[in-house]
Amino acid sequence: MDSNFLQRLITPAQTKIAMLIMDGLGGLAREPGGLTELETARTPNLDALAARSALGLTVPVGPGITPGSGPGHLAIFGYDPIRYEIGRGALEALGVDFELGPDDVAARGNFCTVDAAGVLTDRRAGRLPTELSRELAARLRTIRLDGAEFFIEPVKEHRFAFVMRGSGLGEALSDTDPQRTGVPPLPVQALAADSERAAALANRFITAAAGLLADQQPANAIMLRGFARFPTVPSYTERFGLHAAAIAVNGMYRGVARLAGMTVLDVPGVTLADEFSALERYWPEFDFFYLHVKQTDTAGEKGDFDGKVRVIEAVDTLLPRLLALGPDVVIVSGDHSSPAVLKSHSWHPVPTLLCAEHVRADGIAEFGERACARGSLGVLPAKDVMPLALANAGRIAKYGA
Amino acid sequence: MDSNFLQRLITPAQTKIAMLIMDGLGGLAREPGGLTELETARTPNLDALAARSALGLTVPVGPGITPGSGPGHLAIFGYDPIRYEIGRGALEALGVDFELGPDDVAARGNFCTVDAAGVLTDRRAGRLPTELSRELAARLRTIRLDGAEFFIEPVKEHRFAFVMRGSGLGEALSDTDPQRTGVPPLPVQALAADSERAAALANRFITAAAGLLADQQPANAIMLRGFARFPTVPSYTERFGLHAAAIAVNGMYRGVARLAGMTVLDVPGVTLADEFSALERYWPEFDFFYLHVKQTDTAGEKGDFDGKVRVIEAVDTLLPRLLALGPDVVIVSGDHSSPAVLKSHSWHPVPTLLCAEHVRADGIAEFGERACARGSLGVLPAKDVMPLALANAGRIAKYGA
C-alpha cells in the first residue's frame, strides 16, 4: 500500500496511541524445545493485555533480513525501511540533537590510537573518558578547511559525531575504520564520482586532526565511518496527522524519532521508571507516544538470556502505569529480534500486540513468540502496524463508496 | 503478483466456480471475550464446508483501510482496488444498467427540498415515492444544454443516476450535497483545470432543474455527488478466461459485476431464496457465479447484531442448494467487515473459505473469524483469492519448465 494512498485517507481524531518498543524483543530458546526470553519471562500484565489484543509477528525489513536499529525503527514507525535509508553517521548526529541540514554529510567519529608508524593499536583509544573526549572535540573544532564547514559533537567515551557542511558534497564515502588493529586506518575513498570532493575534504580533515592530536595519548588520531546525508522522511504530522512524542534515553533512537518529526521529550533520568514518568508527565500534550526500552537489546547482544528476561519482567511491572493513562491504542513490539543465543540482532520476526476497543481480540492470554504466531495479525510487515493502529484510533476514513 | 503475469498462464477448463459474498460479513464481539456475529450464528452447513476447506482472513484494500463497497468488491473479484478506483457516480449509473462510455461523467443524484431562500430543508425530499421520482426524472430529461448530452435514470425513492456525455469532460468535481440541512446546496466546483467545463455544465443543469421543479413539493431541487468517469477494467473473460455471471439484487453490486464484464442475471424476486433460484436456473450457462447477499451489511450498518446473525443463518440454510449444483470451487467470503457494534464498514479482515477437491483442507470444522485466523490461507490480500480459486479449478498452467 502506497504511503500517499494512506495519507489522503487520514482523518483527525482526539485519540491517543502508545507504542512501547522493547529493542531487540524477539528471541530464541536456549535449547531445542525450550522457551524464548519473552516466553520465559513472568509477564502477567502483558499476558492480560494480550488476551484483549490482536497478536502477530512483524517482519521489520523483509524475510531473512537482519535490521539495524535505524531500519528496524523506521519500519515499526510505519515507513518503508528500504526506501528510507539512514546511514549510521546521520543517526549519530541526530542522536546528539545536531540539526542536520540538506548540505550536511555526517559520519560517526572515533578517537583511536596509532603507533609511530601510523598503525592502529586501539580502535577506541582505551574508551577514553567522555570528559577528555569533549576537550579533544573542542580542539578539532578549530580546524578550518576551504570548501566546507565542520562540526564535531562529542557523544560518549571515544565516540563523536562528525558533520561536514558544504553545497554538493556526496555521501558515497568509504569508512576509514579497518575494523581491526595492526594495520593503518584507511583513507576515505569516493565510491561515486559525485563524492570525490567530499572524500578529499574528509581526508584533509583527518590529517589535520592527526596533527592537532599528535601530543595526545591514547587519543592521537581519529577514524570516520558511516558517512551519510540526512534522508528526507515525511513527518508523523504530514503522514499520519499525529502530534507525536518520543521517549528514549539513547541518542540513536531519539535521532530516528526526530527524523520522523517526533518531539523528543526530556526524561528525568536514565531508568525505565524515568521513561514511564516522562510518559505520564507529557501524556496530555501529544496524541502519539513512542517509548523505547534499550536494555532488552543490550542484554540480547551480550548473550545475557536471564538479563533479557529480567528487563522484560521489569517492563511488565511498569506496564500498568502506561495502561492507567487510558490510551485508545496500545502497541507492544520490538524494532527487531536480538536473541541472546545469537548475541546479535537477527532476522526473526518480532512478537507484536495491538490492543484497542475495537480490535478483534484473539483471546490468546500470552505474549510470546509462539503465541503471536497463532495471532490473527499473522506475519506482517512491521510498517503495516501503524495503519492498523490508526484505524483502531479512528484516524482513517473509508476508501471509496 | 502482476495481473499480466497471471493472465498469460490462464488456461481453459470446463470447471465451475461459485463465489458467495455476504456483504460486510466480518464482525466483532459485543463484549470483550465474546463471539462475533458469524461465530454466534448456528451454521451447520458452513461449518461442514469449512471442515473440507482452506480458511483465511482476507484484507480487501490494505491494513487498516475500511473499504467502500466498490473497492471491497473489486478486491474479492481479483482486481487491485487501489489501481482501479470506482466513484460513487459511476457505480450508481452501472447499477441501473446504464452503459457508461468513455465520454461520460456520472454522478449520484438526489431530489431534495429547499425553502424559498434556497436553503436545504430535506436532503432526500421525504424519500419521495419511486413512481413520482420517475416522472420528475422524465421532466429533467427535457433539459438541453450546449456542450453535453444528459441522461437521468431513476434509481429508487429520491435517488437517480446522472450522466453527462461530452468529449473531454473532467471528473474532478466537488459534491453539491453539504451533508446537512439549514444551508443551501453547494455549487459544483472544478477540482482540476481539466474539469472546469464539466463544472459549468453541471451547475447550469442544476439551475435548469430547479426551474423545472419549482412547482413541485417536496422535490423542488436536485443535488449531485460522487462525480466519476467509468474506469476501464479488464473483463473476467480477458483476465481469467471466465464466462462469468452475477446474481445481485442491489444496483451497486450489479454495477461492479458489470464493470468486471460479468453478465448480470435476472433474479425472479428480491429474497435470498430468489437469488439461489437464479443460480440454479442459469447454472449450466456460465462457469463463474458471483452471488451477493446484501442483508448482512444492512444489519451490520444498522447495529443489528441479532439481525446479522439471522441473515447468516438464512444463508447457511440455503447453502446446500448451491452445493447441490456441484461447483468445482466454492468461495465464501465478504467484501469487507461491517461489525454491528460499529454500525459501519470497518477495516477488519474478512473470514474466507475456499473449498475444492484438491484444496489443502485445514480440518477446522467451523466458519468464523477466529477459526479463519487459524487457517492455512493466513491473512491474505482479497485479490489473491481468485488466483487460488482458478488454480483449484484447473485454470492456471504451470509457470516455467
Side-chain angles (χ1 to χ4, degrees), chain B residues 162-195:
Chain B
F162 167 92
V163 177
M164 50 184 171
R165 178 172 293 168
S167 63
L169 296 179
E171 64 177 343
L173 301 169
S174 68
D175 294 351
T176 75
D177 185 347
Q179 299 285 339
R180 61 191 174 101
T181 54
V183 293
L186 303 165
V188 178
Q189 292 186 311
L191 306 174
D194 73 352
S195 301

Side-chain angles (χ1 to χ4, degrees), chain A residues 82-100:
Chain A
I82 296 177
R83 173 168 174 193
Y84 299 106
E85 197 169 347
I86 322 175
R88 167 71 68 163
L91 273 179
E92 196 82 349
L94 289 169
V96 290
D97 297 325
F98 189 89
E99 301 258 338
L100 278 176

Side-chain angles (χ1 to χ4, degrees), chain B residues 66-291:
Chain B
T66 296
S69 300
H73 267 84
L74 279 185
I76 195 68
F77 285 170
Y79 298 89
D80 179 342
I82 295 177
R83 174 168 173 193
Y84 299 106
E85 197 171 345
I86 323 174
R88 166 72 68 164
L91 274 178
E92 195 81 349
L94 289 168
V96 291
D97 297 326
F98 189 90
E99 302 259 338
L100 277 176
D103 284 341
D104 296 348
V105 174
R108 181 169 176 168
N110 273 20
F111 289 106
C112 63
T113 314
V114 295
D115 67 15
V119 168
L120 197 55
T121 57
D122 188 336
R123 289 175 54 238
R124 298 184 183 88
R127 290 193 183 273
L128 81 167
T130 304
E131 202 43 55
L132 176 55
S133 185
R134 211 171 280 278
E135 282 172 34
L136 297 181
R139 200 183 283 202
L140 296 185
R141 286 202 192 105
T142 63
I143 297 172
R144 298 279 179 278
L145 298 173
D146 282 349
E149 192 178 355
F150 295 89
F151 301 87
I152 307 296
E153 298 292 338
V155 175
K156 196 183 169 188
E157 297 172 346
H158 56 289
R159 285 164 46 204
F160 60 86
F162 167 92
V163 177
M164 50 184 171
R165 178 172 293 168
S167 63
L169 296 179
E171 64 177 343
L173 301 169
S174 68
D175 294 351
T176 75
D177 185 347
Q179 299 285 339
R180 61 191 174 101
T181 54
V183 293
L186 303 165
V188 178
Q189 292 186 311
L191 306 174
D194 73 352
S195 301
E196 281 174 14
R197 200 159 59 79
L201 279 163
N203 283 321
R204 284 171 57 205
F205 188 92
I206 290 167
T207 305
L212 284 178
L213 300 173
D215 61 339
Q216 291 289 317
Q217 271 305 330
N220 63 356
I222 66 167
M223 296 195 290
L224 300 174
R225 63 186 167 118
F227 287 94
R229 300 173 67 89
F230 185 52
T232 305
V233 168
S235 76
Y236 253 46
T237 307
E238 289 168 69
R239 194 176 170 109
F240 300 136
L242 289 171
H243 185 217
I247 299 168
V249 171
N250 294 64
M252 192 188 298
Y253 312 97
R254 297 163 66 90
V256 190
R258 192 172 287 116
L259 182 67
M262 297 185 197
T263 299
V264 177
L265 302 181
D266 289 329
V267 181
V270 296
T271 69
L272 289 179
D274 292 329
E275 293 192 77
F276 280 77
S277 296
L279 180 71
E280 288 162 341
R281 174 173 166 204
Y282 290 99
W283 187 253
E285 295 179 37
F286 297 88
D287 48 23
F288 176 93
F289 289 85
Y290 150 64
L291 194 153

